Amino acid sequence: MTKLLLSIHVLASILVVGPIAVAASMFPRYARQTAGEDGHSVSATVLLHRICSGYAIVGVAVPVFGIATGAQLGVLTDAWLLTSIVLTTIAAAILALAILPGQESMIESAAAAAADGTGTGDGADTKRAAARLAGLTGVFNLLWAVVVVLMIVRPGSTTGA
Protein backbone atom coordinates (compact mmCIF):
# COMPACT_ATOMS: atom_id res chain seq x y z
CA MET A 1 0.00 0.00 0.00
CA THR A 2 2.87 2.38 0.79
CA LYS A 3 4.31 2.02 -2.72
CA LEU A 4 0.92 2.76 -4.27
CA LEU A 5 0.40 5.86 -2.10
CA LEU A 6 3.93 7.07 -2.81
CA SER A 7 3.47 6.51 -6.54
CA ILE A 8 0.22 8.46 -6.59
CA HIS A 9 1.81 11.24 -4.51
CA VAL A 10 4.81 11.56 -6.83
CA LEU A 11 2.69 11.39 -10.00
CA ALA A 12 0.26 13.96 -8.64
CA SER A 13 3.18 16.22 -7.72
CA ILE A 14 4.62 16.05 -11.21
CA LEU A 15 1.35 16.21 -13.15
CA VAL A 16 -0.33 18.87 -11.02
CA VAL A 17 2.30 21.14 -9.50
CA GLY A 18 4.38 21.16 -12.69
CA PRO A 19 1.70 22.74 -14.89
CA ILE A 20 0.88 25.30 -12.20
CA ALA A 21 4.54 26.26 -11.93
CA VAL A 22 4.93 26.62 -15.70
CA ALA A 23 1.63 28.43 -16.33
CA ALA A 24 2.11 30.81 -13.41
CA SER A 25 5.65 31.56 -14.61
CA MET A 26 4.44 32.33 -18.14
CA PHE A 27 1.52 34.51 -17.05
CA PRO A 28 3.49 37.71 -16.24
CA ARG A 29 5.14 37.71 -19.68
CA TYR A 30 1.83 37.57 -21.51
CA ALA A 31 0.22 39.99 -19.06
CA ARG A 32 2.93 42.56 -19.84
CA GLN A 33 2.10 42.18 -23.52
CA THR A 34 -1.54 43.07 -22.86
CA ALA A 35 -0.32 46.65 -22.31
CA GLY A 36 0.21 46.68 -26.08
CA GLU A 37 -3.38 45.47 -26.59
CA ASP A 38 -2.41 42.19 -28.22
CA GLY A 39 -5.59 40.08 -28.36
CA HIS A 40 -3.55 36.89 -28.40
CA SER A 41 -1.81 37.88 -25.18
CA VAL A 42 -5.14 38.51 -23.44
CA SER A 43 -6.37 35.09 -24.56
CA ALA A 44 -3.12 33.53 -23.38
CA THR A 45 -3.43 35.11 -19.94
CA VAL A 46 -6.97 33.77 -19.59
CA LEU A 47 -5.81 30.27 -20.57
CA LEU A 48 -2.82 30.37 -18.21
CA HIS A 49 -5.06 31.53 -15.36
CA ARG A 50 -7.49 28.69 -16.05
CA ILE A 51 -4.62 26.21 -15.94
CA CYS A 52 -3.39 27.62 -12.62
CA SER A 53 -6.80 27.74 -10.97
CA GLY A 54 -7.99 24.39 -12.29
CA TYR A 55 -4.86 22.52 -11.34
CA ALA A 56 -4.80 24.26 -7.94
CA ILE A 57 -8.08 22.54 -7.09
CA VAL A 58 -6.76 19.13 -8.16
CA GLY A 59 -3.48 19.95 -6.36
CA VAL A 60 -5.10 19.17 -3.02
CA ALA A 61 -4.38 15.52 -3.87
CA VAL A 62 -0.63 16.09 -3.51
CA PRO A 63 -0.53 16.76 0.25
CA VAL A 64 -3.38 14.32 0.90
CA PHE A 65 -1.46 11.43 -0.63
CA GLY A 66 1.78 12.75 0.86
CA ILE A 67 0.38 12.70 4.37
CA ALA A 68 -1.11 9.25 3.77
CA THR A 69 2.29 8.02 2.60
CA GLY A 70 4.01 9.61 5.61
CA ALA A 71 1.54 7.91 7.93
CA GLN A 72 2.21 4.54 6.30
CA LEU A 73 5.97 5.07 6.65
CA GLY A 74 5.62 6.29 10.24
CA VAL A 75 7.46 9.55 9.53
CA LEU A 76 4.74 12.13 10.21
CA THR A 77 6.71 13.60 13.10
CA ASP A 78 10.07 13.75 11.29
CA ALA A 79 11.45 17.27 10.93
CA TRP A 80 11.99 17.00 7.16
CA LEU A 81 8.33 16.06 6.61
CA LEU A 82 6.97 18.71 8.98
CA THR A 83 9.14 21.31 7.23
CA SER A 84 7.82 20.11 3.87
CA ILE A 85 4.25 20.41 5.10
CA VAL A 86 4.85 23.96 6.33
CA LEU A 87 6.52 24.98 3.04
CA THR A 88 3.71 23.35 1.05
CA THR A 89 1.15 25.28 3.10
CA ILE A 90 3.01 28.54 2.47
CA ALA A 91 3.22 27.79 -1.26
CA ALA A 92 -0.49 26.99 -1.39
CA ALA A 93 -1.31 30.22 0.46
CA ILE A 94 0.81 32.26 -1.96
CA LEU A 95 -0.97 30.63 -4.88
CA ALA A 96 -4.49 30.99 -3.48
CA LEU A 97 -4.15 34.39 -1.81
CA ALA A 98 -1.76 36.26 -4.08
CA ILE A 99 -1.02 34.66 -7.45
CA LEU A 100 -4.54 33.63 -8.53
CA PRO A 101 -6.20 36.88 -7.36
CA GLY A 102 -3.37 38.87 -8.99
CA GLN A 103 -3.94 37.06 -12.27
CA GLU A 104 -7.69 37.67 -12.05
CA SER A 105 -7.13 41.35 -11.36
CA MET A 106 -4.82 41.74 -14.34
CA ILE A 107 -7.27 39.94 -16.64
CA GLU A 108 -10.17 42.10 -15.40
CA SER A 109 -8.14 45.28 -15.91
CA ALA A 110 -7.27 44.29 -19.47
CA ALA A 111 -10.90 43.39 -20.21
CA ALA A 112 -12.20 46.65 -18.73
CA ALA A 113 -9.69 48.71 -20.70
CA ALA A 114 -10.64 46.90 -23.90
CA ALA A 115 -14.37 47.30 -23.21
CA ASP A 116 -14.27 51.05 -22.67
CA GLY A 117 -11.96 51.56 -25.63
CA THR A 118 -9.30 53.40 -23.66
CA GLY A 119 -6.68 50.72 -24.11
CA THR A 120 -4.36 50.06 -21.23
CA GLY A 121 -2.65 53.42 -21.22
CA ASP A 122 1.11 53.44 -20.84
CA GLY A 123 1.03 50.00 -19.28
CA ALA A 124 3.05 51.05 -16.23
CA ASP A 125 0.50 49.60 -13.81
CA THR A 126 0.30 46.40 -15.84
CA LYS A 127 4.06 46.05 -15.88
CA ARG A 128 4.30 46.64 -12.11
CA ALA A 129 1.59 44.08 -11.42
CA ALA A 130 3.27 41.61 -13.78
CA ALA A 131 6.60 42.11 -12.04
CA ARG A 132 4.95 41.51 -8.65
CA LEU A 133 3.35 38.33 -9.96
CA ALA A 134 6.65 37.18 -11.41
CA GLY A 135 8.30 37.61 -8.01
CA LEU A 136 5.52 35.79 -6.19
CA THR A 137 5.64 32.98 -8.73
CA GLY A 138 9.39 32.73 -8.25
CA VAL A 139 8.91 32.33 -4.50
CA PHE A 140 6.15 29.75 -5.12
CA ASN A 141 8.43 27.75 -7.42
CA LEU A 142 11.40 28.04 -5.05
CA LEU A 143 9.30 26.68 -2.18
CA TRP A 144 8.32 23.67 -4.29
CA ALA A 145 11.96 23.11 -5.25
CA VAL A 146 12.94 23.05 -1.57
CA VAL A 147 10.11 20.61 -0.82
CA VAL A 148 11.32 18.30 -3.61
CA VAL A 149 14.87 18.37 -2.24
CA LEU A 150 13.58 17.62 1.27
CA MET A 151 11.55 14.69 -0.08
CA ILE A 152 14.62 13.24 -1.79
CA VAL A 153 17.31 13.93 0.82
CA ARG A 154 15.12 13.44 3.93
CA PRO A 155 17.67 14.82 6.39
CA GLY A 156 17.74 12.82 9.61
CA SER A 157 15.47 10.11 8.22
CA THR A 158 15.91 6.59 9.49
CA THR A 159 13.91 5.04 6.64
CA GLY A 160 16.88 5.14 4.28
CA ALA A 161 17.58 7.29 1.25
Side-chain angles (χ1 to χ4, degrees):
M1 183 58 128
T2 302
K3 289 181 182 182
L4 176 65
L5 290 172
L6 182 58
S7 296
I8 293 171
H9 172 63
V10 170
L11 283 171
S13 299
I14 293 167
L15 297 175
V16 175
V17 178
I20 295 171
V22 171
S25 295
M26 292 174 63
F27 185 94
R29 174 181 172 233
Y30 286 97
R32 277 194 283 286
Q33 292 175 358
T34 63
E37 299 181 54
D38 177 1
H40 295 294
S41 295
V42 174
S43 297
T45 58
V46 171
L47 174 65
L48 293 169
H49 174 66
R50 280 189 190 155
I51 291 169
C52 290
S53 58
Y55 277 81
I57 294 166
V58 179
V60 172
V62 175
V64 167
F65 283 101
I67 290 170
T69 302
Q72 284 286 315
L73 292 171
V75 295
L76 284 180
T77 58
D78 285 9
W80 63 272
L81 185 60
L82 294 174
T83 302
S84 295
I85 291 170
V86 169
L87 294 177
T88 297
T89 303
I90 294 168
I94 289 172
L95 179 65
L97 301 175
I99 294 173
L100 293 176
Q103 290 176 346
E104 289 172 9
S105 175
M106 291 188 74
I107 291 169
E108 289 168 3
S109 294
D116 68 14
T118 61
T120 55
D122 64 5
D125 289 340
T126 300
K127 290 179 182 177
R128 270 193 297 277
R132 181 177 182 275
L133 268 179
L136 287 167
T137 301
V139 171
F140 172 81
N141 290 338
L142 181 61
L143 288 168
W144 279 113
V146 171
V147 169
V148 168
V149 170
L150 285 171
M151 292 289 144
I152 294 169
V153 175
R154 300 183 302 183
S157 175
T158 58
T159 61

